[in-house]
Amino acid sequence: MNLLTRVKKSLRHRAAHQASQPLSKLLSLTGFGRYGPGPQLKSPEPLRQAGIPYETFRFDVAGLDRFWNELQAGSPVLRHYCSLQPYWEKRSQYHYSWTQLAPLLSREDAVYLDIASTLNSPYLEVIRALAKTRNVFVQDLVFPPGINGHEIGGSAAELPLGNASVDAMTLHCSFEHFEGNADTGFIREAARVLRPGGRVCIVPLYLGEYAFTMCDPAWGYDIRREAEPVIHLFPGWGERHGRFYGVDTLKERVLDPAHAAGLTSRVIHFENILELHPTCYTHFGLVLEKPAVG
């Protein structure tokens, strides 16, 4: 990216940030959405009442610190990222995903795919440091279509990959951005491309006290209101679309399609996430698995 492009991008971001609050207030007055962030679900009680099974997970706070201290000791890149609050808050997500995928990525021929990723994702440093495989791929809409080296471009709901070709996939702060039916489409696609015994980790799984979509209208002014549930207009958020499932839409859009496609599911409640830091927001996660053969 040349200097002129960076300057133009910076000016666009600054203008959007300044317009975000007045635009949010104006659109809330027109009935387009509700002003302010929606209520994130933190308790698993609504899941229990809806008959959705879930597991609880408690982080070993001291163990989590040791995990990251050891990784940072050998990685200047991770030392840099862990010094930044947005990435510091994701340490629990990355650690949990690694605990779930470590056995799969201990094989040199394993195939790993980070969905809605970038080449500078901190989690790729974790994979490079700990996994034996070097078959590491990143997928995102911003990449050129198709498979180009380790980049895979296009929709996560239409992966240019063969059946049963992937061992492990992760989605960190990405699944909520899948618009339209791309969330359900990805679930079905995951069932197709996973090898038997393969897993997908979606962390966080964003749940709300009711189903809603969060939107910074400076970036998501073109979202079709009739295609979304309740819209919450969150000024300064900097994201165009963030889907928070209610217990009903979680079942309808994610769990039922997963089971119909032959995947098993585990909803995870991270019951002591706030012990790590009051700003941590990873209250739930989801692990999908394709049953092993035999």
Side-chain angles (χ1 to χ4, degrees), residues 40 53 70 100 112 129 146 186 190 203 207 219 242 253-254:
Q40 184 177 356
E70 291 173 4
Q100 298 300 303
Y112 163 76
F186 168 74
V203 190
L207 303 180
W219 303 102
R253 300 183 66 97
V254 179

Side-chain angles (χ1 to χ4, degrees), residues 154-165:
S155 169
E158 297 177 344
L159 296 170
L161 300 171
N163 295 345
S165 59

Side-chain angles (χ1 to χ4, degrees), residues 222-244:
D222 57 343
I223 286 178
R224 293 187 300 111
R225 184 178 182 276
E226 66 274 11
E228 298 293 339
V230 176
I231 292 179
H232 276 271
L233 304 164
F234 188 9
W237 186 43
E239 300 284 356
R240 60 171 279 113
H241 180 282
R243 191 193 309 275
F244 285 68

Side-chain angles (χ1 to χ4, degrees), residues 130-161:
L130 298 177
K132 289 187 178 180
T133 182
R134 289 298 175 263
N135 298 319
V136 175
F137 295 88
V138 290
Q139 177 277 335
D140 198 82
L141 284 169
V142 303
F143 297 141
I147 303 175
N148 302 281
H150 289 275
E151 296 180 5
I152 299 176
S155 169
E158 297 177 344
L159 296 170
L161 300 171

Side-chain angles (χ1 to χ4, degrees), residues 24-226:
S24 295
K25 290 182 176 179
L26 175 62
L27 289 175
S28 67
L29 291 174
T30 67
F32 180 85
R34 303 177 186 178
Y35 184 81
Q40 184 177 356
L41 186 65
K42 300 176 181 180
S43 165
E45 180 60 20
L47 294 172
R48 187 192 67 78
Q49 293 179 359
I52 297 176
Y54 65 90
E55 300 176 7
T56 58
F57 183 90
R58 289 190 63 83
F59 287 101
D60 175 355
V61 179
L64 184 66
D65 286 339
R66 286 194 301 272
F67 176 84
W68 282 103
N69 288 338
E70 291 173 4
L71 280 176
Q72 290 180 74
S75 172
V77 174
L78 286 177
R79 280 201 299 276
H80 167 70
Y81 278 120
C82 285
S83 69
L84 306 175
Q85 183 181 356
Y87 292 103
W88 190 95
E89 292 172 344
K90 294 182 180 182
R91 295 191 311 163
S92 58
Q93 304 171 19
Y94 297 157
H95 178 263
Y96 180 77
S97 291
W98 174 249
T99 66
Q100 298 300 303
L101 301 182
L104 298 173
L105 299 180
S106 63
R107 301 194 336 264
E108 292 184 357
D109 64 342
V111 176
Y112 163 76
L113 176 58
D114 195 28
I115 296 290
S117 180
T118 61
L119 288 174
N120 61 351
S121 166
Y123 193 67
L124 297 181
E125 288 297 315
V126 177
I127 296 296
R128 293 182 183 113
L130 298 177
K132 289 187 178 180
T133 182
R134 289 298 175 263
N135 298 319
V136 175
F137 295 88
V138 290
Q139 177 277 335
D140 198 82
L141 284 169
V142 303
F143 297 141
I147 303 175
N148 302 281
H150 289 275
E151 296 180 5
I152 299 176
S155 169
E158 297 177 344
L159 296 170
L161 300 171
N163 295 345
S165 59
V166 177
D167 294 279
M169 289 189 277
T170 50
L171 296 90
H172 296 124
C173 290
S174 59
F175 191 56
E176 67 277 10
H177 299 309
F178 289 11
E179 299 184 36
N181 293 320
D183 55 342
T184 303
F186 168 74
I187 296 298
R188 295 180 177 131
E189 190 71 336
R192 182 184 70 81
V193 303
L194 277 181
R195 289 175 179 160
R199 286 181 179 177
V200 179
C201 287
I202 300 175
V203 190
L205 173 68
Y206 281 110
L207 303 180
E209 294 181 8
Y210 49 82
F212 64 87
T213 295
M214 201 145 70
C215 167
D216 183 339
W219 303 102
Y221 55 86
D222 57 343
I223 286 178
R224 293 187 300 111
R225 184 178 182 276
E226 66 274 11

Side-chain angles (χ1 to χ4, degrees), residues 237-260:
W237 186 43
E239 300 284 356
R240 60 171 279 113
H241 180 282
R243 191 193 309 275
F244 285 68
Y245 296 98
V247 292
D248 52 346
T249 56
L250 174 65
K251 189 173 185 299
E252 173 189 346
R253 300 183 66 97
V254 179
L255 300 182
D256 285 352
H259 301 158

